[in-house]
Amino acid sequence: MKKILIYTVGALLVVGNYGCKKFLNQVPDDRLTFDQMYQKKATVEQALANVYSTIPDQDQDRSPSALGNIGPWTAASDEADYTLPNFSENVNTGAWDATSGSVNYHWQNFYRGIQAASSFMANVTKCTDCNLGGIDIVNRYYNEARALRAIYYYYLVRQYGPVVLLGNDPIASDAPLAAISKPRNSMDECIEYIVSELDAVSTKLPATPQAAEDYGHITGSVADAYKIKALLTAARPLFNGNTDYANLKNQDGKQLINQTYSVAKWTRLATAAKAFLNNANYANYALYSVTSTPNGLQNNAFNRAFIATRDVFLNGWNSEIIFGRGGDVTLYQYSLAPNHSGASGGDKGGSFLSPSQQLVDAYFTANGLPIENDPSYSATGTSAYQAPDPNDQGAARAISNMYVNREPRFYANITYSGRKWINTSSNIITSFEFNGNAGKSGIPNNDYTKTGYTSRKHLTVAGWTSGRTIFTMIRLAEIYLDYIEALQESNPSDPDILVYLNRIRTRAGIPAYGTGGLPVPTDMKDAIRRERRVELAFELDRYFYTREWKIAETTDTQIRGLNISQNAPGFFTPVVTENRVFQKKHYLWPIPSNEIQKVPVIVQNTGW
């Protein structure tokens, strides 16, 4: 039988399966020949499932591995730590290099996806029954695969920097090594290729999903959104005139990262983002909002904002979601649920995902101010306060003043001591104090929070055993933030900066800048970055933007949390829970050493 064997750059690889929920468990029938697989629509869809399989599965975040193609992005950022040991610990201690398995499998997995896409594109026209009924399925599937190939290059460059562009044709399994021994392309060349490929397909695909089965497929809006993400990576300081990479050159002296800063990269990004926001075909996208609240919760603006910022991740394919991935959500949700003593089922989890005190402190107060700028905020003492939980509207409990009168997103995202557990059928009040019902003293293993907090973003209101539809990968709020960041860098007087920043804040239930006595920030760059931090927390964004902004040497050196070895009041004293190692070389991942050994014309990243 003839089979597909696919090269990365120097290694033989094989393909996997698809990110759309409908196709998650499909694989090509081994009894079919290669040509037979592309003759019928059913097996063509199985082959397309292989192309989609490389999309990272964020629900596997707690266990970075080749399975799910997910990296240590949350716990290797300053957002959080995982109590459960995983590769993020190696990243955080500096105990990783070009020989590490995780370094290799990301490189290989994305090249698998790239070559699977090229092979699919070269063969999908063989299908004899794909276009029955007058629908041009061949053209649609071809362009989905073409978009995915560009998207996988995007994932490669944001992790490794400039990579090797293999060309548009699939590489034959018997091709000699010399035929694929290519040096790295420059970063500008990589971005140009990604953008041009996504531009080429965006108008050839449905603009948005046309039917239920379209969700999870690449559409024109998804292609355009990934183009914006690629342009954002290219415009930020890491790749825009970064002289730290002056010596990153191919063996022939070719400069891989342009040494001249270009404001035009920001302008180009702003233009692309504005085009997305003004595209009439994408007019149905809107920030998710609600007009009412669940029974038991007063229907006011603050509570509606709480429900909206919580349920945007729980209410399936809503108006804000541009792209998402289905999959098994239980492992991720188990990481979010506290290990409540005496509880069972969805109320007793692993407490693994531990938000940092830095993130807790980043959320605004209910007045829309940073905590350091709000005289009403206090980090000490307690007050009687009631969080906006629908199942907890009785008498207020005394909680730490750190958690009193904070913004709705804080209550949607963070579980703290004294908080009603998220399960609407539960009466549990979570306590992470040493002797609390989820505290370290009664837990004999690693199933406790390191920082005295757990995350509740993405967690269903019935506890961790209850599923949700997707893990959100791109949503409209992110496009807003990309747009205003580009404007701030290219045209800081543009009024759209305040318009779109305030749209996010208004949906979040906090005062808009320039209204109600809240002044427009004098440092708008800092305001945009802070808004991004809280709006996109736990969406696998922070790891990359601290690196692309070149601030990780400051932000990624420690994690702070509460003193989990004490009860109150000592428990509420922030302490350093983990010191971390971050060196300049860590801004990029190293190229796997075995790839360089096989293809010596590939040069290693600076510092590795």
Side-chain angles (χ1 to χ4, degrees), residues 440-469:
K440 183 178 179 181
S441 68
I443 301 173
N445 52 24
N446 288 332
D447 292 9
Y448 59 85
T449 168
K450 285 185 178 181
T451 62
Y453 304 101
T454 57
S455 168
R456 62 206 290 151
K457 193 172 189 177
H458 307 289
L459 182 63
T460 58
V461 296
W464 72 265
T465 55
S466 178
R468 51 181 158 75
T469 307

PDB file of all heavy atoms in Angstrom, residues 440-469:
ATOM      1  N   LYS A 440      -3.912  23.590  52.520  1.00  0.00           N
ATOM      2  CA  LYS A 440      -2.807  22.636  52.362  1.00  0.00           C
ATOM      3  C   LYS A 440      -2.745  21.604  53.480  1.00  0.00           C
ATOM      4  O   LYS A 440      -2.328  20.463  53.248  1.00  0.00           O
ATOM      5  CB  LYS A 440      -1.488  23.414  52.289  1.00  0.00           C
ATOM      6  CG  LYS A 440      -0.269  22.543  52.042  1.00  0.00           C
ATOM      7  CD  LYS A 440       0.995  23.392  51.943  1.00  0.00           C
ATOM      8  CE  LYS A 440       2.224  22.523  51.717  1.00  0.00           C
ATOM      9  NZ  LYS A 440       3.460  23.333  51.642  1.00  0.00           N
ATOM     10  N   SER A 441      -3.169  21.953  54.690  1.00  0.00           N
ATOM     11  CA  SER A 441      -2.952  21.055  55.836  1.00  0.00           C
ATOM     12  C   SER A 441      -3.647  19.712  55.671  1.00  0.00           C
ATOM     13  O   SER A 441      -3.141  18.688  56.115  1.00  0.00           O
ATOM     14  CB  SER A 441      -3.431  21.710  57.132  1.00  0.00           C
ATOM     15  OG  SER A 441      -4.837  21.849  57.136  1.00  0.00           O
ATOM     16  N   GLY A 442      -4.799  19.692  55.030  1.00  0.00           N
ATOM     17  CA  GLY A 442      -5.543  18.447  54.903  1.00  0.00           C
ATOM     18  C   GLY A 442      -5.345  17.742  53.583  1.00  0.00           C
ATOM     19  O   GLY A 442      -6.074  16.791  53.279  1.00  0.00           O
ATOM     20  N   ILE A 443      -4.371  18.185  52.788  1.00  0.00           N
ATOM     21  CA  ILE A 443      -4.157  17.601  51.456  1.00  0.00           C
ATOM     22  C   ILE A 443      -2.779  16.935  51.425  1.00  0.00           C
ATOM     23  O   ILE A 443      -1.760  17.623  51.490  1.00  0.00           O
ATOM     24  CB  ILE A 443      -4.264  18.682  50.364  1.00  0.00           C
ATOM     25  CG1 ILE A 443      -5.648  19.330  50.412  1.00  0.00           C
ATOM     26  CG2 ILE A 443      -3.991  18.093  48.979  1.00  0.00           C
ATOM     27  CD1 ILE A 443      -5.813  20.518  49.481  1.00  0.00           C
ATOM     28  N   PRO A 444      -2.712  15.602  51.339  1.00  0.00           N
ATOM     29  CA  PRO A 444      -1.431  14.901  51.445  1.00  0.00           C
ATOM     30  C   PRO A 444      -0.609  14.890  50.163  1.00  0.00           C
ATOM     31  O   PRO A 444       0.546  14.470  50.174  1.00  0.00           O
ATOM     32  CB  PRO A 444      -1.855  13.477  51.814  1.00  0.00           C
ATOM     33  CG  PRO A 444      -3.204  13.320  51.179  1.00  0.00           C
ATOM     34  CD  PRO A 444      -3.852  14.670  51.265  1.00  0.00           C
ATOM     35  N   ASN A 445      -1.175  15.348  49.046  1.00  0.00           N
ATOM     36  CA  ASN A 445      -0.445  15.320  47.776  1.00  0.00           C
ATOM     37  C   ASN A 445      -0.308  16.742  47.230  1.00  0.00           C
ATOM     38  O   ASN A 445      -0.330  17.704  47.985  1.00  0.00           O
ATOM     39  CB  ASN A 445      -1.162  14.399  46.782  1.00  0.00           C
ATOM     40  CG  ASN A 445      -2.637  14.751  46.637  1.00  0.00           C
ATOM     41  OD1 ASN A 445      -3.045  15.874  46.888  1.00  0.00           O
ATOM     42  ND2 ASN A 445      -3.443  13.783  46.232  1.00  0.00           N
ATOM     43  N   ASN A 446      -0.164  16.886  45.909  1.00  0.00           N
ATOM     44  CA  ASN A 446       0.021  18.198  45.293  1.00  0.00           C
ATOM     45  C   ASN A 446      -1.285  18.893  44.916  1.00  0.00           C
ATOM     46  O   ASN A 446      -1.263  19.912  44.224  1.00  0.00           O
ATOM     47  CB  ASN A 446       0.885  18.075  44.038  1.00  0.00           C
ATOM     48  CG  ASN A 446       2.338  17.802  44.350  1.00  0.00           C
ATOM     49  OD1 ASN A 446       2.821  18.193  45.407  1.00  0.00           O
ATOM     50  ND2 ASN A 446       3.030  17.125  43.455  1.00  0.00           N
ATOM     51  N   ASP A 447      -2.416  18.362  45.360  1.00  0.00           N
ATOM     52  CA  ASP A 447      -3.700  18.907  44.931  1.00  0.00           C
ATOM     53  C   ASP A 447      -4.128  20.108  45.781  1.00  0.00           C
ATOM     54  O   ASP A 447      -5.210  20.128  46.365  1.00  0.00           O
ATOM     55  CB  ASP A 447      -4.771  17.818  44.981  1.00  0.00           C
ATOM     56  CG  ASP A 447      -4.538  16.735  43.944  1.00  0.00           C
ATOM     57  OD1 ASP A 447      -3.461  16.740  43.314  1.00  0.00           O
ATOM     58  OD2 ASP A 447      -5.415  15.874  43.764  1.00  0.00           O
ATOM     59  N   TYR A 448      -3.274  21.107  45.836  1.00  0.00           N
ATOM     60  CA  TYR A 448      -3.607  22.342  46.542  1.00  0.00           C
ATOM     61  C   TYR A 448      -3.070  23.517  45.727  1.00  0.00           C
ATOM     62  O   TYR A 448      -2.167  23.360  44.905  1.00  0.00           O
ATOM     63  CB  TYR A 448      -3.002  22.360  47.947  1.00  0.00           C
ATOM     64  CG  TYR A 448      -1.493  22.226  47.983  1.00  0.00           C
ATOM     65  CD1 TYR A 448      -0.671  23.342  47.842  1.00  0.00           C
ATOM     66  CD2 TYR A 448      -0.895  20.977  48.142  1.00  0.00           C
ATOM     67  CE1 TYR A 448       0.710  23.220  47.855  1.00  0.00           C
ATOM     68  CE2 TYR A 448       0.486  20.846  48.153  1.00  0.00           C
ATOM     69  CZ  TYR A 448       1.285  21.966  48.016  1.00  0.00           C
ATOM     70  OH  TYR A 448       2.652  21.844  48.006  1.00  0.00           O
ATOM     71  N   THR A 449      -3.626  24.677  45.942  1.00  0.00           N
ATOM     72  CA  THR A 449      -3.142  25.861  45.242  1.00  0.00           C
ATOM     73  C   THR A 449      -1.847  26.350  45.869  1.00  0.00           C
ATOM     74  O   THR A 449      -1.722  26.396  47.093  1.00  0.00           O
ATOM     75  CB  THR A 449      -4.191  26.986  45.262  1.00  0.00           C
ATOM     76  OG1 THR A 449      -3.582  28.195  44.819  1.00  0.00           O
ATOM     77  CG2 THR A 449      -4.761  27.213  46.649  1.00  0.00           C
ATOM     78  N   LYS A 450      -0.897  26.738  45.036  1.00  0.00           N
ATOM     79  CA  LYS A 450       0.371  27.277  45.528  1.00  0.00           C
ATOM     80  C   LYS A 450       0.251  28.722  45.996  1.00  0.00           C
ATOM     81  O   LYS A 450       1.059  29.187  46.801  1.00  0.00           O
ATOM     82  CB  LYS A 450       1.436  27.210  44.432  1.00  0.00           C
ATOM     83  CG  LYS A 450       2.007  25.837  44.147  1.00  0.00           C
ATOM     84  CD  LYS A 450       3.129  25.953  43.131  1.00  0.00           C
ATOM     85  CE  LYS A 450       3.784  24.612  42.846  1.00  0.00           C
ATOM     86  NZ  LYS A 450       4.891  24.742  41.860  1.00  0.00           N
ATOM     87  N   THR A 451      -0.756  29.428  45.493  1.00  0.00           N
ATOM     88  CA  THR A 451      -0.821  30.872  45.717  1.00  0.00           C
ATOM     89  C   THR A 451      -1.988  31.317  46.593  1.00  0.00           C
ATOM     90  O   THR A 451      -2.090  32.493  46.924  1.00  0.00           O
ATOM     91  CB  THR A 451      -0.940  31.607  44.373  1.00  0.00           C
ATOM     92  OG1 THR A 451      -2.156  31.198  43.732  1.00  0.00           O
ATOM     93  CG2 THR A 451       0.253  31.303  43.476  1.00  0.00           C
ATOM     94  N   GLY A 452      -2.877  30.385  46.966  1.00  0.00           N
ATOM     95  CA  GLY A 452      -4.055  30.772  47.737  1.00  0.00           C
ATOM     96  C   GLY A 452      -5.215  31.218  46.883  1.00  0.00           C
ATOM     97  O   GLY A 452      -6.185  31.786  47.401  1.00  0.00           O
ATOM     98  N   TYR A 453      -5.150  30.962  45.577  1.00  0.00           N
ATOM     99  CA  TYR A 453      -6.227  31.273  44.648  1.00  0.00           C
ATOM    100  C   TYR A 453      -6.369  30.129  43.647  1.00  0.00           C
ATOM    101  O   TYR A 453      -5.407  29.396  43.381  1.00  0.00           O
ATOM    102  CB  TYR A 453      -5.932  32.548  43.846  1.00  0.00           C
ATOM    103  CG  TYR A 453      -5.659  33.782  44.658  1.00  0.00           C
ATOM    104  CD1 TYR A 453      -4.347  34.221  44.866  1.00  0.00           C
ATOM    105  CD2 TYR A 453      -6.700  34.527  45.201  1.00  0.00           C
ATOM    106  CE1 TYR A 453      -4.086  35.367  45.602  1.00  0.00           C
ATOM    107  CE2 TYR A 453      -6.447  35.683  45.939  1.00  0.00           C
ATOM    108  CZ  TYR A 453      -5.134  36.093  46.141  1.00  0.00           C
ATOM    109  OH  TYR A 453      -4.879  37.231  46.875  1.00  0.00           O
ATOM    110  N   THR A 454      -7.542  29.992  43.063  1.00  0.00           N
ATOM    111  CA  THR A 454      -7.692  29.198  41.844  1.00  0.00           C
ATOM    112  C   THR A 454      -8.440  30.043  40.818  1.00  0.00           C
ATOM    113  O   THR A 454      -9.118  31.013  41.162  1.00  0.00           O
ATOM    114  CB  THR A 454      -8.453  27.874  42.081  1.00  0.00           C
ATOM    115  OG1 THR A 454      -9.738  28.163  42.649  1.00  0.00           O
ATOM    116  CG2 THR A 454      -7.662  26.944  42.971  1.00  0.00           C
ATOM    117  N   SER A 455      -8.304  29.660  39.556  1.00  0.00           N
ATOM    118  CA  SER A 455      -9.002  30.363  38.480  1.00  0.00           C
ATOM    119  C   SER A 455     -10.384  29.765  38.303  1.00  0.00           C
ATOM    120  O   SER A 455     -10.593  28.569  38.503  1.00  0.00           O
ATOM    121  CB  SER A 455      -8.206  30.232  37.183  1.00  0.00           C
ATOM    122  OG  SER A 455      -8.975  30.666  36.075  1.00  0.00           O
ATOM    123  N   ARG A 456     -11.350  30.595  37.910  1.00  0.00           N
ATOM    124  CA  ARG A 456     -12.670  30.060  37.559  1.00  0.00           C
ATOM    125  C   ARG A 456     -13.079  30.465  36.144  1.00  0.00           C
ATOM    126  O   ARG A 456     -14.210  30.194  35.719  1.00  0.00           O
ATOM    127  CB  ARG A 456     -13.720  30.455  38.584  1.00  0.00           C
ATOM    128  CG  ARG A 456     -13.983  31.907  38.762  1.00  0.00           C
ATOM    129  CD  ARG A 456     -14.524  32.209  40.163  1.00  0.00           C
ATOM    130  NE  ARG A 456     -15.869  31.747  40.427  1.00  0.00           N
ATOM    131  CZ  ARG A 456     -16.308  31.407  41.655  1.00  0.00           C
ATOM    132  NH1 ARG A 456     -15.494  31.459  42.700  1.00  0.00           N
ATOM    133  NH2 ARG A 456     -17.545  31.021  41.838  1.00  0.00           N
ATOM    134  N   LYS A 457     -12.182  31.107  35.408  1.00  0.00           N
ATOM    135  CA  LYS A 457     -12.477  31.441  34.016  1.00  0.00           C
ATOM    136  C   LYS A 457     -12.532  30.152  33.201  1.00  0.00           C
ATOM    137  O   LYS A 457     -11.676  29.280  33.352  1.00  0.00           O
ATOM    138  CB  LYS A 457     -11.392  32.367  33.456  1.00  0.00           C
ATOM    139  CG  LYS A 457     -11.749  33.031  32.133  1.00  0.00           C
ATOM    140  CD  LYS A 457     -10.714  34.073  31.774  1.00  0.00           C
ATOM    141  CE  LYS A 457     -11.100  34.912  30.591  1.00  0.00           C
ATOM    142  NZ  LYS A 457     -10.122  35.979  30.296  1.00  0.00           N
ATOM    143  N   HIS A 458     -13.510  30.023  32.327  1.00  0.00           N
ATOM    144  CA  HIS A 458     -13.778  28.841  31.501  1.00  0.00           C
ATOM    145  C   HIS A 458     -14.490  27.734  32.269  1.00  0.00           C
ATOM    146  O   HIS A 458     -14.784  26.686  31.688  1.00  0.00           O
ATOM    147  CB  HIS A 458     -12.500  28.238  30.891  1.00  0.00           C
ATOM    148  CG  HIS A 458     -11.648  29.189  30.135  1.00  0.00           C
ATOM    149  ND1 HIS A 458     -12.003  29.722  28.917  1.00  0.00           N
ATOM    150  CD2 HIS A 458     -10.430  29.713  30.418  1.00  0.00           C
ATOM    151  CE1 HIS A 458     -11.047  30.523  28.487  1.00  0.00           C
ATOM    152  NE2 HIS A 458     -10.091  30.545  29.372  1.00  0.00           N
ATOM    153  N   LEU A 459     -14.742  27.899  33.562  1.00  0.00           N
ATOM    154  CA  LEU A 459     -15.308  26.815  34.369  1.00  0.00           C
ATOM    155  C   LEU A 459     -16.831  26.913  34.407  1.00  0.00           C
ATOM    156  O   LEU A 459     -17.387  27.970  34.724  1.00  0.00           O
ATOM    157  CB  LEU A 459     -14.745  26.875  35.788  1.00  0.00           C
ATOM    158  CG  LEU A 459     -15.190  25.778  36.753  1.00  0.00           C
ATOM    159  CD1 LEU A 459     -14.732  24.406  36.260  1.00  0.00           C
ATOM    160  CD2 LEU A 459     -14.624  26.042  38.142  1.00  0.00           C
ATOM    161  N   THR A 460     -17.493  25.804  34.104  1.00  0.00           N
ATOM    162  CA  THR A 460     -18.948  25.810  34.087  1.00  0.00           C
ATOM    163  C   THR A 460     -19.508  25.958  35.496  1.00  0.00           C
ATOM    164  O   THR A 460     -18.870  25.588  36.484  1.00  0.00           O
ATOM    165  CB  THR A 460     -19.493  24.520  33.463  1.00  0.00           C
ATOM    166  OG1 THR A 460     -19.011  23.396  34.211  1.00  0.00           O
ATOM    167  CG2 THR A 460     -19.038  24.378  32.022  1.00  0.00           C
ATOM    168  N   VAL A 461     -20.723  26.461  35.586  1.00  0.00           N
ATOM    169  CA  VAL A 461     -21.326  26.762  36.891  1.00  0.00           C
ATOM    170  C   VAL A 461     -21.890  25.523  37.564  1.00  0.00           C
ATOM    171  O   VAL A 461     -22.501  25.628  38.630  1.00  0.00           O
ATOM    172  CB  VAL A 461     -22.425  27.836  36.757  1.00  0.00           C
ATOM    173  CG1 VAL A 461     -21.815  29.143  36.286  1.00  0.00           C
ATOM    174  CG2 VAL A 461     -23.528  27.378  35.804  1.00  0.00           C
ATOM    175  N   ALA A 462     -21.671  24.364  36.993  1.00  0.00           N
ATOM    176  CA  ALA A 462     -22.073  23.114  37.639  1.00  0.00           C
ATOM    177  C   ALA A 462     -20.858  22.350  38.152  1.00  0.00           C
ATOM    178  O   ALA A 462     -20.979  21.200  38.558  1.00  0.00           O
ATOM    179  CB  ALA A 462     -22.882  22.244  36.676  1.00  0.00           C
ATOM    180  N   GLY A 463     -19.676  22.981  38.112  1.00  0.00           N
ATOM    181  CA  GLY A 463     -18.476  22.287  38.560  1.00  0.00           C
ATOM    182  C   GLY A 463     -17.740  21.643  37.405  1.00  0.00           C
ATOM    183  O   GLY A 463     -18.192  21.655  36.258  1.00  0.00           O
ATOM    184  N   TRP A 464     -16.598  21.038  37.719  1.00  0.00           N
ATOM    185  CA  TRP A 464     -15.675  20.618  36.655  1.00  0.00           C
ATOM    186  C   TRP A 464     -16.163  19.438  35.832  1.00  0.00           C
ATOM    187  O   TRP A 464     -15.709  19.233  34.706  1.00  0.00           O
ATOM    188  CB  TRP A 464     -14.298  20.324  37.234  1.00  0.00           C
ATOM    189  CG  TRP A 464     -14.188  19.065  38.063  1.00  0.00           C
ATOM    190  CD1 TRP A 464     -14.284  18.966  39.414  1.00  0.00           C
ATOM    191  CD2 TRP A 464     -13.919  17.745  37.585  1.00  0.00           C
ATOM    192  NE1 TRP A 464     -14.113  17.673  39.826  1.00  0.00           N
ATOM    193  CE2 TRP A 464     -13.872  16.898  38.718  1.00  0.00           C
ATOM    194  CE3 TRP A 464     -13.705  17.189  36.332  1.00  0.00           C
ATOM    195  CZ2 TRP A 464     -13.634  15.526  38.628  1.00  0.00           C
ATOM    196  CZ3 TRP A 464     -13.475  15.820  36.228  1.00  0.00           C
ATOM    197  CH2 TRP A 464     -13.438  15.006  37.360  1.00  0.00           C
ATOM    198  N   THR A 465     -17.109  18.641  36.339  1.00  0.00           N
ATOM    199  CA  THR A 465     -17.557  17.469  35.584  1.00  0.00           C
ATOM    200  C   THR A 465     -18.549  17.830  34.491  1.00  0.00           C
ATOM    201  O   THR A 465     -18.891  16.984  33.659  1.00  0.00           O
ATOM    202  CB  THR A 465     -18.201  16.444  36.528  1.00  0.00           C
ATOM    203  OG1 THR A 465     -19.255  17.079  37.269  1.00  0.00           O
ATOM    204  CG2 THR A 465     -17.178  15.877  37.493  1.00  0.00           C
ATOM    205  N   SER A 466     -19.015  19.075  34.474  1.00  0.00           N
ATOM    206  CA  SER A 466     -19.960  19.512  33.453  1.00  0.00           C
ATOM    207  C   SER A 466     -19.218  20.144  32.288  1.00  0.00           C
ATOM    208  O   SER A 466     -18.350  20.989  32.485  1.00  0.00           O
ATOM    209  CB  SER A 466     -20.945  20.516  34.060  1.00  0.00           C
ATOM    210  OG  SER A 466     -21.833  20.996  33.084  1.00  0.00           O
ATOM    211  N   GLY A 467     -19.550  19.742  31.076  1.00  0.00           N
ATOM    212  CA  GLY A 467     -18.784  20.184  29.919  1.00  0.00           C
ATOM    213  C   GLY A 467     -19.214  21.531  29.385  1.00  0.00           C
ATOM    214  O   GLY A 467     -20.221  22.104  29.781  1.00  0.00           O
ATOM    215  N   ARG A 468     -18.411  22.076  28.476  1.00  0.00           N
ATOM    216  CA  ARG A 468     -18.747  23.265  27.709  1.00  0.00           C
ATOM    217  C   ARG A 468     -18.415  22.968  26.258  1.00  0.00           C
ATOM    218  O   ARG A 468     -17.790  21.952  25.946  1.00  0.00           O
ATOM    219  CB  ARG A 468     -17.973  24.486  28.216  1.00  0.00           C
ATOM    220  CG  ARG A 468     -16.488  24.281  28.341  1.00  0.00           C
ATOM    221  CD  ARG A 468     -15.775  25.523  28.875  1.00  0.00           C
ATOM    222  NE  ARG A 468     -14.502  25.186  29.465  1.00  0.00           N
ATOM    223  CZ  ARG A 468     -13.402  24.869  28.781  1.00  0.00           C
ATOM    224  NH1 ARG A 468     -13.432  24.859  27.473  1.00  0.00           N
ATOM    225  NH2 ARG A 468     -12.279  24.578  29.402  1.00  0.00           N
ATOM    226  N   THR A 469     -18.804  23.846  25.363  1.00  0.00           N
ATOM    227  CA  THR A 469     -18.724  23.556  23.935  1.00  0.00           C
ATOM    228  C   THR A 469     -17.310  23.658  23.385  1.00  0.00           C
ATOM    229  O   THR A 469     -16.845  22.767  22.679  1.00  0.00           O
ATOM    230  CB  THR A 469     -19.640  24.516  23.152  1.00  0.00           C
ATOM    231  OG1 THR A 469     -20.951  24.464  23.703  1.00  0.00           O
ATOM    232  CG2 THR A 469     -19.688  24.137  21.683  1.00  0.00           C
TER     233      THR A 469
END
